[in-house]
Amino acid sequence: MNNKLTRRGLLKTGAVGGAGLALPTIFTSGASAFTNEPMGGTVTLGFNVPQSGPYADEGADELRAYQLAVEHLNGEGDGGMLNTFSSKVLEGNGILGKKVEYVTGDTQTKSDAARASAKSMIEKDGAVMITGGSSSGVAVAVQGLCQEAGVIFMAGLTHSNDTTGKDKKANGFRHFFNAYMSGAALAPVLTKMYGTDRKAYHLTADYTWGWTQEESIVAATEALGWETVNTVKTPLAATDFSSYITPILQTDADVLVLNHYGGNMVNSLTNAVQFGLRDKIVNGKNFEIVVPLYSRLMARGAGENVKGIFGSTNWHWSLQDEGSKAFVKSFGTKYGFPPSQAAHTCYVQTLLYADAVARAGSFNPCAVGEALEGFEFDGMGNGKTLYRAEDHQCFKDVLVVKGKDNPTSEFDLLEVVEVTPVEQVTYAPDHPMFAGGALGSCNPGA
């Protein structure tokens, strides 16, 4: 059996080959056997991010965060969140003494390309863990592949309920929050600001994230008195949303909910403002726009148009806890600007994986999974956090934010208006929005 892992440390951009390769090589060590067991002095991680497509800005920031995490794990730089993480088993000497190296792939914000990229990193590059994504469609697809291949998938930015709902897998873990949590956090703030007698029109990205985000916001707002006038699906590849905005003007809707992310949200919000929606008075009320899932990168892209618009976010660089400050300092020193929420969750996931390996004393994905299940931690920017064993979803506080009226810089665009406590966004593992799938058993690939 060939124990040599090839091309370690090669920065491989745009790798989408490997679809016709054989099954992953199984490396054995003593009584254990699992996919890509690291045999030498290094271990390879696979960073699979959108370097092209509508979520490319998020992907670029994710990759920056992954590179920073590798530096910190290998004892370079100032250590970042290793200094604030409640678990203290990581010592800056790699993972279990093995130097961390990495390969990258471009998901292109397409599920097929993402699977091919991840497959290549596992089969050709010997990656023992895959992480990344900014599209939930991509995350669900790659999570399924990792389950089949016998490697751990540490999801990056994925917000669909399905990732840890009907499409959850034993080898997959999500730190990022989800659509249900956005609805639970955001709806009470919206009704407080805009009243309970509102009529909402939804434009929704036509894939798994958009569907579950729409479902979550509709349920949460209708429970508090809002009426849903219409829900319209839009293609993920769309760049001009004018034809979707015009029909809104013919209804009595007084709120537009944009279940869009990344470049989609920038373009749809810009079109809505161009059509004068924010200047309209409907049903005797100011017309309002809501963006359920926000990010600093989107806010920068949309510019002036985000002022006063509410949404939710997993994390924000302005938080003043010790973990957030340490990460912002490290990231800012290296790159010259603050990190996005996408960068934050990817950095944290890399450290959480490394920590789980160290606590388990093994790279075996089943041992790693056991170390992550039920793990409670702090010091990573979100307060006390639980990796729930039943569905591999992290539970933590959620931020409600809005676009600042008077930003002081191109990065100071969002303000935190509420830190929603974890209790308000927690749901039962068998909640109907997450039903339909089984976690199954860990697959070590042997």
Side-chain angles (χ1 to χ4, degrees):
M1 195 172 284
N2 180 9
N3 286 346
K4 184 178 180 182
L5 301 186
T6 59
R7 295 199 293 169
R8 288 193 178 278
L10 175 65
L11 181 61
K12 176 167 63 68
T13 58
V16 295
L21 297 175
L23 291 173
T25 303
I26 304 301
F27 298 88
T28 60
S29 176
S32 66
F34 57 92
T35 301
N36 292 340
E37 180 179 358
M39 303 303 290
T42 62
V43 57
T44 299
L45 309 182
F47 301 149
N48 206 24
V49 303
Q51 299 179 51
S52 57
Y55 296 167
D57 284 350
E58 308 287 335
D61 225 35
E62 288 180 330
L63 192 54
R64 294 182 190 106
Y66 285 133
Q67 292 166 341
L68 183 64
V70 168
E71 288 183 10
H72 290 167
L73 289 173
N74 286 333
E76 302 166 12
D78 62 8
M81 282 185 171
L82 290 182
N83 300 312
T84 61
F85 188 14
S86 56
S87 178
K88 299 300 180 185
V89 298
L90 296 173
E91 300 176 350
N93 62 343
I95 306 176
L96 292 184
K98 297 181 184 291
K99 182 179 180 181
V100 181
E101 297 183 342
Y102 64 90
V103 289
T104 76
D106 181 8
T107 69
Q108 304 175 41
T109 323
K110 298 176 182 177
S111 296
D112 288 346
R115 280 180 65 96
S117 174
K119 186 178 175 72
S120 177
M121 288 188 282
I122 295 168
E123 295 178 359
K124 295 172 66 177
D125 303 308
V128 72
M129 181 272 276
I130 301 293
T131 177
S134 282
S135 156
S136 290
V138 161
V140 166
V142 174
Q143 180 168 260
L145 178 134
C146 289
Q147 180 70 33
E148 297 164 8
V151 300
I152 289 289
F153 176 63
M154 299 295 285
L157 195 157
T158 168
H159 192 243
S160 170
N161 291 338
D162 292 346
T163 308
T164 46
K166 72 178 184 65
D167 295 311
K168 60 183 174 287
K169 302 293 182 186
N171 284 40
F173 292 84
R174 171 164 60 180
H175 169 263
F176 204 68
F177 72 145
N178 59 43
Y180 174 91
M181 295 174 178
S182 284
L186 193 53
V189 175
L190 294 178
T191 54
K192 179 181 178 181
M193 297 302 299
Y194 302 144
T196 56
D197 183 23
R198 282 286 186 166
K199 297 183 177 183
Y201 192 111
H202 289 248
L203 291 182
T204 300
D206 192 12
Y207 75 107
T208 177
W209 168 67
W211 306 332
T212 66
Q213 182 63 88
E214 175 187 289
E215 178 187 29
S216 299
I217 295 294
V218 166
T221 54
E222 287 186 353
L224 296 177
W226 284 26
E227 176 186 342
T228 304
V229 173
N230 200 4
T231 58
V232 177
K233 306 299 187 288
T234 62
L236 182 59
T239 56
D240 185 347
F241 294 86
S242 300
S243 62
Y244 297 97
I245 301 294
T246 307
I248 301 171
L249 302 172
Q250 312 306 317
T251 72
D252 62 348
D254 48 37
V255 176
L256 171 61
V257 181
L258 292 175
N259 299 303
H260 289 157
Y261 195 73
N264 283 172
M265 173 272 183
V266 172
N267 292 328
S268 61
L269 177 59
T270 300
N271 289 156
V273 172
Q274 288 171 341
F275 274 77
L277 289 187
R278 297 196 74 182
D279 300 323
K280 287 175 62 65
I281 303 292
V282 181
N283 306 322
K285 308 177 184 73
N286 290 331
F287 193 99
E288 304 292 351
I289 300 175
V290 177
V291 177
L293 180 59
Y294 241 139
S295 84
R296 178 186 64 74
L297 297 174
M298 289 159 49
R300 185 182 64 187
E304 294 273 321
N305 297 330
V306 302
K307 290 185 176 182
I309 290 182
F310 284 89
S312 66
T313 189
N314 189 67
W315 176 85
H316 192 256
W317 67 268
S318 65
L319 293 174
Q320 291 302 299
D321 61 278
E322 293 305 310
S324 293
K325 288 193 293 185
F327 178 53
V328 171
K329 179 185 176 186
S330 294
F331 192 97
T333 299
K334 184 173 177 64
Y335 299 113
F337 48 85
S340 64
Q341 65 171 350
H344 170 258
T345 201
C346 289
Y347 176 91
V348 169
Q349 281 284 72
T350 308
L351 266 55
L352 286 172
Y353 170 78
D355 175 79
V357 172
R359 287 186 292 109
S362 173
F363 288 96
N364 187 310
C366 296
V368 175
E370 288 181 12
L372 285 169
E373 289 181 342
F375 181 51
E376 296 181 273
F377 59 93
D378 204 344
M380 303 291 262
N382 296 108
K384 292 182 179 179
T385 303
L386 167 69
Y387 239 130
R388 191 161 70 178
E390 289 86 351
D391 50 12
H392 296 183
Q393 172 68 55
C394 270
F395 286 83
K396 54 196 183 305
D397 297 344
V398 170
L399 306 182
V400 176
V401 297
K402 75 169 182 174
K404 272 195 172 183
D405 291 323
N406 298 295
T408 58
S409 74
E410 63 177 308
F411 307 113
D412 180 40
L413 302 175
L414 300 177
E415 62 178 301
V416 178
V417 297
E418 178 184 278
V419 178
T420 305
V422 62
E423 294 80 11
Q424 186 175 319
V425 301
T426 297
Y427 52 87
D430 61 352
H431 188 284
M433 286 189 189
F434 297 83
L439 196 64
S441 301
C442 166
N443 176 22

